[in-house]
């Protein structure tokens, strides 16, 4: 999944981003509403973690713009206001979920994952294909019963290829979903990570390269 964090408390934003990246998610960070709208207009995000009290453009206005645009991104609104009327107002604006500060990080992660599942077509809890069994919740991968220890990006690439259900996934799509905006679009990082993933998956090979198009697990 690709996540956008719009939070003006920079230390909090960076802390959330670091934690979500540890979950093998691609995360971008902005610190005001105008920057959030700019990124949303350029990139496809699965979840927007949105502070309600953003500077420049208020979080309420960002949420309205997301709803009006029809973008599939799910909105998790953060706020220090814990009163019920405040939560109701946020949901009425179009937010999909609401979390008050301070919050437990594990709860935020669980809510982000839940919203991410709603942002994409329904997928089974376990991703299975050609003897590979991937559990997104436990972050475990097995091939023919053998446990595989994968790095975060390797896990993310494999999950995206399995979710494609046999379809070809382009390098650009993989770069967008598994890395973040700081990734160089001209880098060979996807190819190098796939090479390492193939080595860990072992024989017989299961990831096919479709020249000029991308990769797939048929």
């Amino acid at each position: 999944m690709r996540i956008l964090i719009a939070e003006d408390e920079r230390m909090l934003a960076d802390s959330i981003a670091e934690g979500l990246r540890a979950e093998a998610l691609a995360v971008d960070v902005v610190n005001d509403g105008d920057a959030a709208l700019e990124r949303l207009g350029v990139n496809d995000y699965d979840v927007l973690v949105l502070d309600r009290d953003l500077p420049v453009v208020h979080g309420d206005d960002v949420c309205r713009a997301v709803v009006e645009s029809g973008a599939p991104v799910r909105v998790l609104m953060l706020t220090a206001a814990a009163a019920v009327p405040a939560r109701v107002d946020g949901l009425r604006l179009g937010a999909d979920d609401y979390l008050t500060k301070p919050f437990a990080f594990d709860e935020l992660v669980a809510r982000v994952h839940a919203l991410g599942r709603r942002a994409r077509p329904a997928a089974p809890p376990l991703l299975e294909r050609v003897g590979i069994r991937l559990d997104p919740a436990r972050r475990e991968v097995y091939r023919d019963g053998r446990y595989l220890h994968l790095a975060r990006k390797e896990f993310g690439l494999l999950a995206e290829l399995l979710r494609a259900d046999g379809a070809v996934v382009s390098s650009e799509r993989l770069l967008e979903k598994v890395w973040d905006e700081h990734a160089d679009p001209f880098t060979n990082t996807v190819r190098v990570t796939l090479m390492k993933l193939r080595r860990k998956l072992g024989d017989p090979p299961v990831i096919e390269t479709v020249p000029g198009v991308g990769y797939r697990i048929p």
Side-chain angles (χ1 to χ4, degrees), residues 102-171:
F103 51 80
F105 183 74
D106 286 347
E107 181 179 4
L108 181 140
V109 170
R111 289 175 183 264
V112 166
H113 278 296
L115 291 176
R117 289 192 293 270
R118 291 166 56 188
R120 63 175 71 219
L126 298 178
L127 301 173
E128 298 184 82
R129 195 173 187 85
V130 293
I132 299 171
R133 181 174 180 270
L134 184 147
D135 186 335
R138 297 177 181 272
R139 292 202 68 248
E140 293 179 347
V141 179
Y142 293 84
R143 182 173 187 189
D144 297 328
R146 175 174 59 94
Y147 175 75
L148 304 178
H149 180 74
L150 300 185
R152 284 182 293 172
K153 298 305 183 186
E154 295 164 358
F155 184 93
L157 280 181
L158 181 59
E160 288 300 320
L161 290 171
L162 290 172
R163 287 191 181 105
D165 197 26
V168 177
V169 185
S170 68
S171 294

Side-chain angles (χ1 to χ4, degrees), residues 2 19 21 81 116 151 198 205 214:
R2 189 166 184 179
R21 287 173 183 142
R198 281 170 163 149

Side-chain angles (χ1 to χ4, degrees), residues 5-8 10 30-37 54-57 62:
I5 299 171
E7 167 62 62
D8 66 325
R10 293 177 183 269
V30 294
N31 302 117
D32 65 68
D34 185 58
L37 291 174
L54 286 176
V56 187
V57 177
V62 174

Side-chain angles (χ1 to χ4, degrees), residues 6-52:
E7 167 62 62
D8 66 325
E9 296 181 42
R10 293 177 183 269
M11 289 185 63
L12 176 59
D14 291 342
S15 176
I16 294 172
E18 182 179 354
L20 292 177
R21 287 173 183 142
E23 295 287 318
L25 304 177
V27 183
D28 297 333
V29 178
V30 294
N31 302 117
D32 65 68
D34 185 58
L37 291 174
E38 180 182 353
R39 301 294 173 84
L40 288 163
V42 172
N43 300 316
D44 292 327
Y45 293 100
D46 298 290
V47 179
L48 167 62
V49 179
L50 176 66
D51 178 37
R52 189 170 187 181

Side-chain angles (χ1 to χ4, degrees), residues 34-114:
D34 185 58
L37 291 174
E38 180 182 353
R39 301 294 173 84
L40 288 163
V42 172
N43 300 316
D44 292 327
Y45 293 100
D46 298 290
V47 179
L48 167 62
V49 179
L50 176 66
D51 178 37
R52 189 170 187 181
D53 297 316
L54 286 176
V56 187
V57 177
H58 196 273
D60 288 359
D61 295 320
V62 174
C63 188
R64 288 191 190 95
V66 168
V67 173
E68 291 172 0
S69 72
V73 60
R74 301 293 181 173
V75 179
L76 171 58
M77 187 172 280
L78 305 180
T79 182
V84 171
R87 297 201 301 271
V88 171
D89 286 345
L91 294 171
R92 283 177 174 167
L93 286 169
D96 297 279
D97 201 355
Y98 203 95
L99 194 58
T100 57
K101 301 175 183 178
F103 51 80
F105 183 74
D106 286 347
E107 181 179 4
L108 181 140
V109 170
R111 289 175 183 264
V112 166
H113 278 296

